[in-house]
Amino acid sequence: MSEHKITRCGTIAIVGRPNVGKSTLLNYLVGSKISITSKKAQTTRYQLLGIQTIDDTQFLFIDTPGFQLKHLNLMNKGLNKTVHQVLSDVDVVLFVIESRGMTEEDQAVMKLIPKDRPTILVMNKVDLMKDKNALLEQIKTMSETYTFKAMVPVSAKKNKHLDHLLSTVRDFLPEQPFIYGEDEITDKSERFLASEIIREKIFRLTGQEVPYSIAVEIEKFEVEGNLRRIFAAIIVDKDSQKPMLIGKDGEKLKQISTESRQDMEELFGGKVWLETWVKVKSGWSTDQRVLKSLGL
């Protein structure tokens, strides 16, 4: 009679204020780029699941939008609500801050974490702290001030101490069968991932020129053997934003499309034919119907 293998499987929310490196952390923990990253706050707009299966453990990481305390339009309020919902229903919380210490904004986010949820403090960006004594001092202060289940200093970007973080998380996951296949990395469709990749390139390649109010709508996604044909509309709020995205002689849009296609080919493991264009939908980020149609 074969011995029954005991497995662990559970959900882990990654939370923190905007720009502490939550999405970068998720990508490195999963080992594949499924969550987009940029310096703009609340780049992450969706609850995104990243799956990592190692030996007898399946980690189900949930990347959440950075909790926005300043700019509260209809979309931001919806994103904040997502964070609340996630926190009430996970096995473990990874509370991410920058390694230089806790800010007032961090403390405001920490108050949202339910008291009965095992919480691990992840001190990210340790590679930016040249003085290791300052880091040790920071850890000492944190342990005297707060009651976290564990504190793990990491550098998501440099892939430092992430194995230690995974083994720490594992101890808090329930013993139960795996929910997903061992080779799965996310529950999101390729269509969704394609739109997110395009949105990331817009944020990265247009800097501050293009405001936050852009969205990407995949109008058609066709698969022919190993080739994917993708038709994507980039939605902006105002006519004046259109030329910023298209650029002189269409150069900016061409760059956005080329870099998006390269990322998609790497993620999907096949050729991609991508066509993009820009559409104006006035006031889309404050229109409940439009937000719903975009899944926000």
Side-chain angles (χ1 to χ4, degrees), residues 121 137-148 151:
L121 180 70
E137 199 55 47
Q138 199 57 255
I139 292 169
K140 185 172 177 284
T141 305
M142 291 291 173
S143 62
E144 288 167 356
T145 317
Y146 304 102
T147 54
F148 295 108
M151 285 186 288

Side-chain angles (χ1 to χ4, degrees), residues 125-240:
K125 307 184 185 180
V126 290
D127 53 304
L128 302 179
M129 286 192 84
K130 303 299 170 217
D131 182 359
K132 294 303 163 220
N133 287 329
L135 178 62
L136 293 171
E137 199 55 47
Q138 199 57 255
I139 292 169
K140 185 172 177 284
T141 305
M142 291 291 173
S143 62
E144 288 167 356
T145 317
Y146 304 102
T147 54
F148 295 108
K149 292 290 184 189
M151 285 186 288
V152 185
V154 304
S155 169
K157 232 176 193 167
K158 305 274 182 184
N159 208 350
K160 269 187 172 179
H161 313 307
L162 297 188
D163 286 348
H164 176 50
L165 179 59
L166 285 169
S167 64
T168 305
V169 169
R170 183 191 175 279
D171 294 340
F172 295 97
L173 298 182
E175 286 183 5
Q176 61 177 352
F178 294 167
I179 294 170
Y180 294 92
E182 292 187 32
D183 57 347
E184 289 184 74
I185 57 168
T186 184
D187 63 336
K188 295 294 184 194
S189 67
E190 288 189 352
R191 189 184 189 114
F192 169 85
L193 294 169
S195 72
E196 285 289 270
I197 286 168
I198 297 167
R199 203 161 61 83
E200 177 189 69
K201 298 307 167 203
I202 294 165
F203 279 169
R204 284 175 173 260
L205 296 171
T206 57
Q208 298 304 314
E209 302 155 43
V210 176
Y212 188 64
S213 51
I214 62 123
V216 177
E217 199 170 12
I218 303 294
E219 300 207 343
K220 216 192 288 183
F221 192 110
E222 301 169 342
V223 181
E224 296 168 21
N226 205 30
L227 170 72
R228 291 157 180 83
R229 291 182 190 276
I230 302 167
F231 301 81
I234 298 167
I235 299 162
V236 294
D237 221 5
K238 301 181 183 80
D239 285 308
S240 59

Side-chain angles (χ1 to χ4, degrees), residues 23 27 33-38 43-44 196-197 199-200 203:
S23 297
N27 290 336
K33 186 174 173 174
I34 58 169
S35 187
I36 68 173
T37 59
S38 93
T43 301
T44 301
E196 285 289 270
I197 286 168
R199 203 161 61 83
E200 177 189 69
F203 279 169

